[in-house]
Amino acid sequence: MGLSASTRVKNSLSQSPEFESACEAAFSYCLSQTQHAFQGVFPYQLHAASDYIHSLLSDAHPHRLILRWLSAPPARSQVDSALRFITPDDHHDALLGPLQFKAWALHLYTDAVLSSAGKALLFRVPIGVAGIAGIGALTRSGNRFVGTAIGAYSLGVAFSILAGLSG
């Protein structure tokens, strides 16, 4: 395994021709919205750009990570957070050029996929633990057996989610 979850997702997206193509198409879309009067994308256009990227990666050029972990585009708060991460502290209203735009999209979608995977982990583990504990109580299994089963289940769920982050 070796790589952290964020590195896995970031590498998968940055090396994906589908993601590259979607970023280029979204950047061109934003330029066309301003009738090519500017050489970059305004921050107010980023939410629409995020939706556009998501639709391309879900439909036209499907990407495995997006299909598996993001059923909906990232929220506006995630879009704004990615912008704050990419731009210097006092330049949040500056135009984003093509390289900054791609860096923004990469950060946004990495964060969104990891957030969704984290939610899946927080949802799956407690349900499985409750099921194992319930079965253990019904069968009057020993605490050691139930504890081992819970640990193995939790580790298995975490491992499957981490393995699923390799797009």
Side-chain angles (χ1 to χ4, degrees):
M1 288 270 144
L3 297 174
S4 71
S6 61
T7 304
R8 285 172 173 269
V9 173
K10 190 173 187 176
N11 287 345
S12 175
L13 290 174
S14 65
Q15 296 170 1
S16 166
E18 295 88 5
F19 186 75
E20 179 79 28
S21 174
C23 287
E24 289 172 4
F27 187 80
S28 294
Y29 169 76
C30 290
L31 291 181
S32 71
Q33 293 298 307
T34 59
Q35 299 177 347
H36 297 276
F38 303 96
Q39 296 299 313
V41 174
F42 286 100
Y44 73 84
Q45 295 176 293
L46 294 177
H47 186 67
S50 169
D51 292 350
Y52 193 80
I53 291 170
H54 186 271
S55 71
L56 288 174
L57 293 175
S58 298
D59 301 329
H61 308 289
H63 191 279
R64 190 175 127 200
L65 284 176
I66 304 306
L67 291 175
R68 182 168 187 181
W69 297 109
L70 291 178
S71 59
R76 184 173 290 278
S77 61
Q78 290 174 305
V79 170
D80 294 340
S81 176
L83 176 63
R84 285 190 300 273
F85 183 82
I86 296 303
T87 59
D89 292 332
D90 55 347
H91 294 99
H92 296 308
D93 57 350
L95 288 172
L96 296 179
L99 294 177
Q100 281 184 310
F101 182 84
K102 182 166 185 224
W104 163 81
L106 182 61
H107 182 77
L108 172 66
Y109 276 86
T110 299
D111 183 55
V113 167
L114 290 172
S115 176
S116 181
K119 288 177 186 174
L121 183 66
L122 290 175
F123 178 75
R124 291 178 190 170
V125 169
I127 290 175
V129 166
I132 292 169
I135 290 171
L138 287 174
T139 60
R140 295 191 175 133
S141 300
N143 287 343
R144 178 175 267 175
F145 174 75
V146 172
T148 302
I150 288 173
Y153 171 78
S154 299
L155 186 62
V157 169
F159 180 75
S160 74
I161 287 176
L162 181 62
L165 293 175
S166 298

